[in-house]
Amino acid sequence: MIREVILTSQSTQGHVHIAPMGIHVNGDERLLMPFRPSTTLDNVLATGQAVMNYSDDVRIFAGCLTGRRDWPVLATEVIIGHRLANALSHAELEVVHYEDDPVRPKIHCRVVHEATHAPYQGFNRAQFAVLEAAILISRLHMLPPEKLESELAYLRIGLDKTAGPNEREAWNWLMEKVEAFREGSS
Ligand SMILES: Cc1cc2nc3c(=O)[nH]c(=O)nc-3n(C[C@H](O)[C@H](O)[C@H](O)COP(=O)(O)O)c2cc1C
């Protein structure tokens, strides 16, 4: 199974980096697969540590893809690092094995600490729509234009029916980026 999370990592100088990542969950293992080049990859290799943040604030997913990476963080409890301040829960990871690759290395990790901070609030279709749109937008240059338009039109249905203010704000950030891309490619 792949969990879409916000991964926090930090450089050896202590600079915190926030990025959405799909993390493979295989039993006790957590597998990170960042495409090169990646600040997350550089940080995790340099420190041997990372944090999986489970968040329902989709503004963070959309924000990271639209130049809004400055989200509040708190110090972690076991590893030397930071977690999202508004994470519902988080898992602190330690690298156990590294498989290098010129395109997409594999970083095998284990959980050294987990904590819950707030209750899970249930599924929401607009949150799913924002996540899917964020993934589309992270691949804008690889997508056929008609696929982009048809998928956004479909995702918009769930968004319009079920969004709250956070989901709307996140969607609007993503659509600004799509609009700029359309203008640039026309
Ligand atoms: C839901 C979601 C999942 C993502 N999963 C991955 C992933 O598994 N690997 C990856 O390299 N990028 C993934 N991305 C894109 C990265 O977040 C984005 O390219 C980011 O800038 C990674 O590069 P960085 O480590 O330099 O920040 C994902 C984006 C979204 C919205």
Side-chain angles (χ1 to χ4, degrees):
M1 174 188 253
I2 297 179
R3 296 261 173 213
E4 307 299 346
V5 307
I6 300 293
L7 204 83
T8 41
S9 61
Q10 64 184 52
S11 67
T12 47
Q13 289 79 37
H15 181 77
V16 179
H17 183 73
I18 298 178
M21 287 267 158
I23 309 299
H24 299 242
V25 176
N26 306 318
D28 289 342
E29 182 184 79
R30 303 292 178 268
L31 176 62
L32 283 46
M33 294 181 64
F35 285 100
R36 287 182 181 277
S38 161
T39 305
T40 303
L41 174 67
D42 297 344
N43 286 349
V44 177
L45 290 186
T47 61
Q49 297 180 327
V51 179
M52 284 172 74
N53 296 273
Y54 306 101
S55 174
D56 61 359
D57 187 346
V58 287
R59 293 175 308 162
I60 307 176
F61 289 83
C64 286
L65 294 181
T66 56
R68 300 166 173 92
R69 285 186 189 259
D70 196 14
W71 297 94
V73 293
L74 296 171
T76 43
E77 289 152 26
V78 171
I79 66 167
I80 299 167
H82 288 82
R83 67 160 174 97
L84 285 180
N86 75 354
L88 299 177
S89 61
H90 81 277
E92 301 179 17
L93 307 182
E94 187 178 80
V95 177
V96 290
H97 178 58
Y98 176 63
E99 285 179 70
D100 202 7
D101 185 88
V103 178
R104 200 176 189 190
K106 292 182 176 167
I107 313 174
H108 301 261
C109 299
R110 72 182 182 99
V111 176
V112 294
H113 179 68
E114 276 179 311
T116 300
H117 313 290
Y120 172 62
Q121 304 280 356
F123 294 114
N124 172 256
R125 291 175 63 197
Q127 289 169 357
F128 158 79
V130 171
L131 267 194
E132 288 296 323
I135 290 171
L136 288 175
I137 278 140
S138 72
R139 297 173 187 164
L140 274 180
H141 293 274
M142 294 180 261
L143 284 177
E146 58 282 4
K147 183 173 164 70
L148 175 68
E149 300 307 333
S150 67
E151 297 217 356
L152 288 178
Y154 174 71
L155 292 171
R156 187 152 206 136
I157 299 169
L159 182 100
D160 284 343
K161 285 184 177 162
T162 70
N166 284 358
E167 290 73 29
R168 273 196 196 290
E169 188 170 26
W171 181 268
N172 290 342
W173 291 343
L174 294 174
M175 291 312 111
E176 281 167 19
K177 186 143 179 178
V178 171
E179 197 47 49
F181 175 77
R182 284 186 190 122
E183 281 168 15
S185 59
S186 62

